[in-house]
Amino acid sequence: MITEREVLESVLGEPLRRTREVEVEEEQERELAPGVLWRRCRLRFHPERSDRPERLCVNEIEADANVASLEPVFALDHTHLCDTEEIEDAYWATRWASAEFRTSGGLREPRLYVGTAPLLNAWVSEGWRVAGTLAAESGADQTLQHLHSLEERLHPLPAFVAPGHNPTGRAGIARWLPAMPPSRLALARPDVIAALPAGFFLNFPEEFEDGHSALHQPVGLLKTSEDFVMPPWVERPCFIESGRGGGRLAMVGPGAVRLEVGGFAVPLHRGSDQPDAPHGAVWLAWDAPERRPNPPHDAAALVFSGKVLVGWGAAKRGQRPPVGGALVWLTGEPARHVLAHSEEPVRRPPSHELGLDAELEAAVSAFAAGPVLVRDGRALARDEIFSRGAAGEFHPQGPPPMRFRHGAEDSPAPRAALCLREGGWRLLVVDGRRAAEHSAGLRLEGLAKLCELRGAREALNLDGGGSAVLAIEGAHPGDAITGGLARGVVSYPSDDGGRERIVPTILAVTAPHGHCPL
């Protein structure tokens, strides 16, 4: 796919030794279904800066948009494929990022794991009350006995207590959403012929421990064929599937949210963009409270976590929104309606409706990722990739989904991308973090250049790092790069031992006409 020296140098962003040739170590190609091809290529090359050769491995799915579709699948819609033990393992893996856990020797405190999917999708009629109970109980350590009693009080949320083995007896609450490895979906659904992670989600402790947000909560717009899951509180680039033989990329933010309060339509805008227009202003967790203007004296506030209204009342300066949600300031009749429901003895939330604008309501599916890598057939340079027009609210001071952690934007890493081209699309998965023995990975600029070289008219960066994995249905034993990988995985995940991460949203390649005989 990228064998010529000059082409490889442009993708890597560095020169190669002139005395060494680029060697194609492996090349595979197979039709997975009519009009759907899988390719893998691994190159061996010698960077000028190094005394040792390195490698680069790229997997690719190429499809005709008329015979195959791209479908974001929310793990919540396949809970029979999810494993609560994996959720517990994922939670403690995130704790490793904190110094407190590292110095504890890995001891696990007792924990009440609470599934918040019924809250996220507003499936609980008194979800605001359950959410308030959960948030109030989340602020302090609890006894193991108290956690067991909370299981009953938080009904109908799914919950289980993990006793842990920390002799200090400290205990707490972990909110979570269903997640699973992409390979499990590819094996379980006969119409799915390939699967990889899609957009970003909350997966570091500082993101999901604010009392309302949850581990594996999607960031930005998510609409699957099953449901409208996450409002676009955060402005991010999105892939929108029209259902007419293809899709497109668009920047989608709070302006695409349809909000009605007390029968009044409320147009929304980001407060940080229009601080002097409080009516319908949306504030997010990384907006510094001291930089917000004082709300008008008669303004009201709605607090959303995902789609769930978890708080309402008079707007106050300094009020902090949930990481996975938003604070909305209102004035006029909508504000008066909210304030009327904040007075005793009324305890019910104000009447409201949350949805998407007409164009997104008509779309088959949509999901947020980013940044944009290619526009109008041209690979974007680094400064362009991290501009508001390509990355949306890719916020340097925000939680990790709004920025890459540990400088990953500037380092070679595993990457994944969606490339839109005339009549179809390509999915690219680049292995990384094993430069000498398997694959070095790419910087974002290199991924953008690779997408351009593969004919992308537009390209969108997908979840990368340890999440970057490609699984195909019907894989041969020889398709795996090494032993010990999950069945169907044809890339090499960078987590320990090639272990797949569990993710909440999987981008599935579906082909209604079925598979080719293997």
Side-chain angles (χ1 to χ4, degrees), residues 232-236 252-256 267-288 292-293 321 325-329 388 392-395 402:
W233 298 124
V234 181
E235 182 187 64
R236 296 300 297 263
V252 180
L268 299 181
H269 63 273
R270 280 289 279 120
S272 58
D273 292 337
Q274 303 177 48
D276 297 327
H279 183 67
V282 174
W283 299 98
L284 304 179
W286 49 86
D287 294 328
R292 299 180 205 158
L327 169 69
V328 181
W329 282 354
R388 178 82 179 258
E393 292 189 83
F394 193 80
H395 202 287
M402 304 314 302

Side-chain angles (χ1 to χ4, degrees), residues 112 114 116 119 127-142 146-147 150 153-154 157 171-173 175 209-213 310-311:
L112 173 62
V114 181
T116 58
L119 294 179
W128 57 274
R129 192 187 302 277
V130 178
T133 300
L134 181 56
E137 294 281 0
S138 297
D141 292 333
Q142 310 285 359
H146 186 62
L147 293 185
L150 272 176
R153 290 174 55 195
L154 291 173
L157 302 187
I173 296 172
R175 293 159 302 282
E209 294 191 347
D210 66 6
H212 287 297
S213 304
V310 295

Side-chain angles (χ1 to χ4, degrees), residues 62-188:
E62 178 183 341
D64 183 330
N66 293 313
V67 300
S69 298
L70 291 172
E71 176 188 345
V73 176
F74 192 33
L76 174 62
D77 299 324
H78 294 76
T79 52
H80 62 290
L81 300 176
C82 301
D83 185 334
T84 53
E85 289 185 4
E86 290 176 328
I87 291 289
E88 185 186 2
D89 288 344
Y91 175 81
W92 285 109
T94 70
R95 297 300 303 174
W96 191 257
S98 70
E100 178 185 2
F101 180 60
R102 287 199 301 272
T103 56
S104 74
L107 298 175
R108 300 187 178 191
E109 302 91 353
R111 192 72 40 179
L112 173 62
Y113 289 88
V114 181
T116 58
L119 294 179
L120 179 73
N121 276 2
W123 291 343
V124 179
S125 59
E126 300 238 338
W128 57 274
R129 192 187 302 277
V130 178
T133 300
L134 181 56
E137 294 281 0
S138 297
D141 292 333
Q142 310 285 359
T143 66
L144 187 59
Q145 180 180 3
H146 186 62
L147 293 185
H148 280 292
S149 71
L150 272 176
E151 280 187 276
E152 300 298 325
R153 290 174 55 195
L154 291 173
H155 182 78
L157 302 187
F160 67 97
V161 174
H165 54 273
N166 192 329
T168 64
R170 293 173 56 196
I173 296 172
R175 293 159 302 282
W176 56 272
L177 289 168
M180 64 181 171
S183 64
R184 199 168 297 161
L185 181 72
L187 294 173

Side-chain angles (χ1 to χ4, degrees), residues 118-388:
L119 294 179
L120 179 73
N121 276 2
W123 291 343
V124 179
S125 59
E126 300 238 338
W128 57 274
R129 192 187 302 277
V130 178
T133 300
L134 181 56
E137 294 281 0
S138 297
D141 292 333
Q142 310 285 359
T143 66
L144 187 59
Q145 180 180 3
H146 186 62
L147 293 185
H148 280 292
S149 71
L150 272 176
E151 280 187 276
E152 300 298 325
R153 290 174 55 195
L154 291 173
H155 182 78
L157 302 187
F160 67 97
V161 174
H165 54 273
N166 192 329
T168 64
R170 293 173 56 196
I173 296 172
R175 293 159 302 282
W176 56 272
L177 289 168
M180 64 181 171
S183 64
R184 199 168 297 161
L185 181 72
L187 294 173
R189 268 183 48 176
D191 62 326
V192 174
I193 57 177
L196 69 161
F200 300 98
F201 50 94
L202 306 185
N203 69 332
F204 284 95
E206 64 268 35
E207 302 171 305
F208 56 81
E209 294 191 347
D210 66 6
H212 287 297
S213 304
L215 173 66
H216 292 138
Q217 188 162 318
V219 173
L221 173 65
L222 175 57
K223 180 185 180 183
T224 71
S225 59
E226 302 287 335
D227 199 7
F228 155 46
V229 177
M230 178 60 65
W233 298 124
V234 181
E235 182 187 64
R236 296 300 297 263
C238 293
F239 172 71
I240 302 171
E241 173 64 67
S242 64
R244 296 186 295 271
R248 63 184 180 86
L249 302 186
M251 195 69 69
V252 180
V257 176
R258 177 175 51 82
L259 175 63
E260 293 183 8
V261 179
F264 298 95
V266 180
L268 299 181
H269 63 273
R270 280 289 279 120
S272 58
D273 292 337
Q274 303 177 48
D276 297 327
H279 183 67
V282 174
W283 299 98
L284 304 179
W286 49 86
D287 294 328
E290 63 272 13
R291 298 190 63 182
R292 299 180 205 158
N294 285 318
H297 72 279
D298 58 348
L302 299 179
V303 181
F304 289 94
S305 179
K307 293 195 299 187
V308 179
L309 181 64
V310 295
W312 59 92
K316 301 175 183 177
R317 187 173 185 179
Q319 190 174 5
R320 186 171 176 82
V323 173
L327 169 69
V328 181
W329 282 354
L330 305 172
T331 56
E333 288 298 326
R336 285 188 277 277
H337 174 75
V338 171
L339 293 174
H341 282 254
S342 305
E343 301 171 355
E344 296 288 353
V346 177
R347 293 186 178 276
R348 303 291 300 179
S351 59
H352 69 285
E353 183 178 340
L354 197 67
L356 299 172
D357 66 23
E359 184 179 7
L360 286 173
E361 284 286 356
V364 173
S365 61
F367 70 93
V372 174
L373 301 172
V374 175
R375 182 173 285 142
D376 296 326
R378 181 182 66 84
L380 301 186
R382 185 190 187 284
D383 289 346
E384 294 175 296
I385 289 173
F386 291 102
S387 68
R388 178 82 179 258

